[in-house]
Amino acid sequence: MEIPAGFRFFPTEEELVSFYLRNQLDGRRQEMHSVIPVLNIYDVEPWDLPQLAGERCRRDTEQWFYFTPRQEREARGGRANRTTASGYWKATGSPSYVYSSDDRVIGMKKTMVFYKGKAPSGKKTKWKMNEYRAIEAVPNPTAVTTTPMLRHEFSLCRIYVVSGSFRAFDRRPLEPVSRATQLHENRTATFSERASMMEVTSSSSTSHSGGDHSDQPEANEDDIWEMVNDLEEPPLGWEQMNWTGV
């Protein structure tokens, strides 16, 4: 089906985790792959990923989504290999929770930046990634409550480029522009500069779709497990989790 101009696949983080990732983990709704394909993104350079996006999202110029299977070394208890032929993905900041609309924790989110070259002296690029993993409530045989479990079979990765603009549709073209276009851009430069300042000074602690975050010290995989283990408190409502209709 032809998609009309102007339409974009722009899901919320709740939709990414509770619908798309959850269905992928359960082996349902294979038609989703026309929007989010299964791909080991670490076999591909980030600037080549848009060409491998889902057929319904291939014309998108802002963000691209992929289901990434767990690597064999992860299944054996090792760390994921996030290097490509020309560089590596480096985690930045601390992992954060993904919440549902009724304030339940449904997943984990980690932000990464791509560096060209070899670690640790690579050159930072504008390519970024949000990696999402689902958290599932597992029945506890020794208690009446449930225990949260982090699912590793697949992660959902959102790839995007840091724009430096306040709104995605306000972005300027990256290629050379004509004299007339340049004059127009000069008139709007003040607005763009103010928008960039607002983006830099805004808080990055809240998790939401489309947010660009400042780089922080690299996160440790153990931080994720500690955060999941901290979710055993009843107020988070794990015993009320309901995946019906997802």
Side-chain angles (χ1 to χ4, degrees):
M1 183 181 66
E2 183 69 19
I3 300 177
F7 278 76
R8 299 290 186 272
F9 179 62
F10 208 82
T12 63
E13 292 189 328
E14 178 182 8
E15 291 166 341
L16 286 175
V17 175
S18 65
F19 180 80
Y20 291 98
L21 182 53
R22 181 67 188 185
N23 276 295
Q24 176 65 24
L25 289 167
D26 291 344
R28 297 180 295 181
R29 294 183 175 270
Q30 297 301 306
E31 66 272 14
M32 295 187 308
H33 295 164
S34 65
V35 179
I36 307 179
V38 177
L39 178 71
N40 183 0
I41 62 173
Y42 305 113
D43 288 341
V44 184
E45 306 301 340
W47 43 86
D48 293 328
L49 285 171
Q51 306 171 34
L52 302 174
E55 58 188 76
R56 292 181 179 271
C57 298
R58 217 157 278 168
R59 293 191 302 177
D60 201 334
T61 59
E62 298 177 0
Q63 56 183 355
W64 307 272
F65 301 86
Y66 308 89
F67 292 121
T68 301
R70 176 171 57 177
Q71 298 178 0
E72 291 186 8
R73 61 188 300 172
E74 284 185 283
R76 296 194 298 266
R79 291 179 178 269
N81 179 15
R82 296 192 172 95
T83 60
T84 70
S86 66
Y88 57 96
W89 289 96
K90 180 180 178 182
T92 178
S94 299
S96 59
Y97 295 129
V98 177
Y99 292 90
S100 66
S101 53
D102 56 353
D103 295 329
R104 288 183 292 107
V105 176
I106 57 176
M108 299 290 301
K109 170 185 173 182
K110 180 188 291 185
T111 300
M112 301 185 214
V113 180
F114 188 77
Y115 288 76
K116 293 187 68 174
K118 294 185 178 181
S121 57
K123 182 179 179 181
K124 181 180 176 183
T125 71
K126 292 186 176 182
W127 288 91
K128 300 190 76 172
M129 167 171 50
N130 296 141
E131 180 190 67
Y132 299 94
R133 294 189 180 184
I135 295 178
E136 179 179 351
V138 178
N140 189 340
T142 61
V144 295
T145 59
T146 56
T147 301
M149 180 183 73
L150 193 66
R151 297 287 298 270
H152 289 278
E153 302 96 307
F154 285 93
S155 59
L156 196 161
C157 297
R158 168 183 173 254
I159 307 294
Y160 60 103
V161 179
V162 179
S163 66
S165 297
F166 185 52
R167 298 290 295 275
F169 52 79
D170 289 334
R171 293 179 183 172
R172 304 180 189 179
L174 298 178
E175 65 274 5
V177 294
S178 65
R179 170 75 174 169
T181 304
Q182 187 64 53
L183 289 173
H184 172 74
E185 296 292 358
N186 289 340
R187 294 192 188 100
T188 58
T190 302
F191 171 78
S192 298
E193 290 169 1
R194 291 176 181 173
S196 298
M197 292 179 63
M198 292 175 64
E199 198 170 43
V200 170
T201 56
S202 62
S203 172
S204 62
S205 60
T206 302
S207 175
H208 60 89
S209 294
D212 293 344
H213 303 286
S214 301
D215 286 354
Q216 301 294 333
E218 182 175 358
N220 191 303
E221 290 288 342
D222 295 335
D223 296 339
I224 296 180
W225 287 109
E226 291 178 4
M227 293 178 70
V228 174
N229 291 334
D230 290 341
L231 294 176
E232 296 180 351
E233 295 297 326
L236 286 170
W238 288 104
E239 61 275 10
Q240 282 82 33
M241 288 187 71
N242 181 9
W243 300 104
T244 303
V246 173

